[in-house]
Amino acid sequence: MNITVIGTGYVGLVTGTCLAEVGNDVLCLDLDPGKIAMLNDGRIPIHEPGLEEMVARNTAAGRLRFTTDAAKAAAFGAVQFIAVGTPPGEDGSADLQYVLCAARNIGRHMTSHTIVVNKSTVPVGTADAVRSAICEELGRRGADISFSVVSNPEFLKEGAAVDDFMRPDRVIIGADDPHAVECMRSIYSAFIRNHDRLMLMDIRSAELTKYAANAMLATRISFMNELANLADKVDADIEQVRVGIGSDPRIGFDFLYAGCGYGGSCFPKDVRALLRMALENSTRLSVLKAVEEANEAQKRLLLRKIRDRFGSDLSGRRFAMWGLAFKANTNDMRAATSRVLISGLLGAGARITAYDPVAMPEARRLFPKDSRLAFAASAVEALRDADALVIVTEWKEFRAPNHAVLRELLKQRVVFDGRNLYKPATMRASGLEYICIGRR
């Protein structure tokens, strides 16, 4: 099948590459010439495990190509996946300008019956707006060409997106056209061969499902973070609490780890968009509002713990920071806790030496001119001359540090752990002052 994918960010590039991997001919469109030049040169603009090799393999096989030509892309695919960004507006609502621009380009250039698939995370009702935009462009051309609009939300985790696409736990299709449904079944049949995980629903329910899923996960994280803060006050251990409640099959263990707040391109944006959607429909989502407020407070928790230990004025102090990305296995620093912490520490007069396996180029872009923020070539190198270590991201290489090296290089032998990676008793037995979140 000939498939066009519009957008080459996380969702678009992963979608296009994985569709090519199972034999489809895929043309990826992006209006950013620099990004397309990079892809045509064999490089990818994001860090995603396994993706670069898959892109190279399918490009070499001729199944995956990249272009900036909107007319060529619209004419190529019988199915057109819209996978562009929906950044938050000032009021928290999802900005649909790129989605509607993609729809208008399809309407402007399509030559035969086309199935238009919304892969971007969009508010309820966006399919109607896409349909209207395409109809408007067809009307301008005086063209009578049939098309269908489908909602097919993505459920890809950054850092595991390739595996999530190739082995989905569910594929949600929102459609009202039987032909479009069968076409989508055909596309996804290669990914759900062992049992049918395709779920068919109406378009608006499919659009809402994506927001509901991310909001539920964000709620679990903020709930555990607030319990961890309570555990700090009452001398309980949040790790033991996690095991105790996670053992209940009605609850389960996923997304029950306390820490220094969630970030990234999805949870913060989608929670705000869902709150805005509720407001526009005269409905209150009180629980979700509390989730957002709790997370914003949690991002400031490490800074508060550092100030409690060293005082409000951090002039003359240097902190080693392990981790900059919002989570492991990505270079994404959008809404990352590290950004809040860096700004807070620098604002209090401190100096920082940071290390992250892949996100340091992005950090240099975000903090380009502050000489008080330095970057180290390794985790150990970041420790030199530091008063304390602050752990922000749960990279695997941070999970088993050499305690003797920590004792030797840290001037104050203090470790602030925003991800609860270590056992408190082990750290203290090693002669380290260990300050974490909700652990005894």
Side-chain angles (χ1 to χ4, degrees):
M1 187 177 294
N2 286 356
I3 296 174
T4 294
V5 178
I6 304 168
T8 57
Y10 272 99
V11 176
L13 188 56
V14 170
T15 297
T17 304
C18 291
L19 290 172
E21 178 75 1
V22 296
N24 295 291
D25 289 321
V26 179
L27 181 62
C28 291
L29 168 70
D30 202 294
L31 300 184
D32 182 346
K35 189 181 290 187
I36 293 300
M38 177 184 293
L39 289 164
N40 283 327
D41 196 36
R43 296 171 292 131
I44 64 173
I46 58 176
H47 176 83
E48 188 62 42
L51 182 59
E52 188 166 8
E53 297 84 353
M54 190 179 284
V55 168
R57 181 166 61 248
N58 285 280
T59 301
R63 293 189 299 267
L64 180 63
R65 287 170 286 164
F66 305 97
T67 185
T68 58
D69 188 335
K72 178 180 178 181
F76 179 80
V79 180
Q80 305 261 332
F81 281 83
I82 298 177
V84 296
T86 53
E90 291 184 4
D91 60 359
S93 62
D95 185 348
L96 297 179
Q97 64 172 310
Y98 304 112
V99 171
L100 297 180
C101 177
R104 283 190 286 270
N105 278 333
I106 292 171
R108 202 171 289 138
H109 301 293
M110 60 190 282
T111 57
S112 60
H113 178 79
T114 302
I115 298 173
V116 180
V117 183
N118 271 335
K119 198 73 174 168
S120 301
T121 300
V122 294
V124 174
T126 299
D128 295 335
V130 166
R131 187 177 288 110
S132 295
I134 295 174
C135 283
E136 185 178 332
E137 292 298 330
L138 289 173
R140 285 199 179 104
R141 295 168 53 192
D144 183 16
I145 304 173
S146 62
F147 68 94
S148 301
V149 178
V150 173
S151 175
N152 173 218
E154 55 86 11
F155 298 96
L156 308 177
K157 300 185 295 292
E158 288 189 38
V162 170
D163 192 59
D164 285 346
F165 199 102
M166 298 299 292
R167 301 174 183 84
D169 49 22
R170 81 280 207 195
V171 176
I172 290 180
I173 303 297
D176 51 19
D177 175 10
H179 169 70
V181 171
E182 289 310 307
C183 183
M184 296 301 289
R185 283 190 185 277
S186 176
I187 288 172
Y188 280 106
S189 62
F191 304 98
I192 52 175
R193 292 186 64 190
N194 60 342
H195 68 277
D196 190 2
R197 282 158 284 172
L198 190 144
M199 302 177 186
L200 180 63
M201 58 184 70
D202 65 87
I203 291 176
R204 286 177 171 255
S205 296
E207 290 172 333
L208 183 56
T209 296
K210 167 63 178 180
Y211 280 112
N214 279 354
M216 174 61 77
L217 297 175
T219 299
R220 287 170 69 97
I221 294 170
S222 281
F223 177 70
M224 287 304 291
N225 285 340
E226 291 210 309
L227 281 185
N229 297 339
L230 177 60
D232 269 336
K233 300 293 186 182
V234 300
D235 197 28
D237 189 329
I238 195 62
E239 178 62 14
Q240 295 182 36
V241 174
R242 181 188 71 82
V243 174
I245 65 175
S247 301
D248 186 331
R250 297 171 300 175
I251 299 173
F253 290 100
D254 291 340
F255 287 83
L256 290 186
Y257 289 92
C260 53
Y262 62 75
S265 63
C266 293
F267 288 4
K269 173 177 71 72
D270 293 352
V271 165
R272 291 178 62 196
L274 194 52
L275 286 169
R276 182 64 190 181
M277 197 189 313
L279 181 64
E280 290 173 351
N281 288 275
S282 303
T283 302
R284 292 182 62 197
L285 297 179
S286 303
V287 171
L288 203 56
K289 182 63 176 174
V291 167
E292 182 185 43
E293 292 172 352
N295 188 61
E296 290 305 306
Q298 200 71 10
K299 288 182 178 182
R300 298 188 292 270
L301 180 63
L302 280 176
L303 181 62
R304 189 162 68 246
K305 287 178 178 287
I306 291 169
R307 283 176 160 168
D308 287 345
R309 173 61 176 78
F310 288 106
S312 297
D313 184 1
L314 299 176
S315 300
R317 300 287 186 185
R318 179 181 292 276
F319 295 91
M321 183 178 293
W322 282 2
L324 294 164
F326 85 94
K327 62 182 284 189
N329 298 320
T330 181
N331 63 342
D332 195 345
M333 288 182 63
R334 284 175 286 186
T337 297
S338 63
R339 296 174 65 168
V340 176
L341 184 56
I342 289 170
S343 296
L345 289 174
L346 296 179
R351 300 172 90 70
I352 302 167
T353 303
Y355 169 74
D356 187 288
V358 299
M360 289 191 292
E362 178 65 7
R364 288 188 178 98
R365 186 185 70 81
L366 293 169
F367 298 93
K369 297 179 180 178
D370 202 317
S371 61
R372 296 171 298 169
L373 174 60
F375 299 95
S378 69
V380 171
E381 187 64 30
L383 300 173
R384 299 189 186 280
D385 298 320
D387 290 280
L389 167 63
V390 188
I391 300 170
V392 186
T393 311
E394 65 280 19
W395 285 97
K396 286 182 179 179
E397 67 178 272
F398 302 155
R399 292 184 183 179
N402 187 319
H403 293 172
V405 171
L406 292 176
R407 283 198 311 272
E408 177 187 351
L409 295 181
L410 291 175
K411 291 193 288 188
Q412 300 286 333
R413 295 183 177 180
V414 182
V415 176
F416 296 90
D417 186 355
R419 298 299 174 188
N420 288 349
L421 296 183
Y422 315 126
K423 294 181 178 179
T426 302
M427 295 293 282
R428 286 166 186 149
S430 298
L432 296 164
E433 184 179 347
Y434 184 58
I435 300 170
C436 49
I437 300 174
R439 302 296 308 275
R440 291 184 67 180

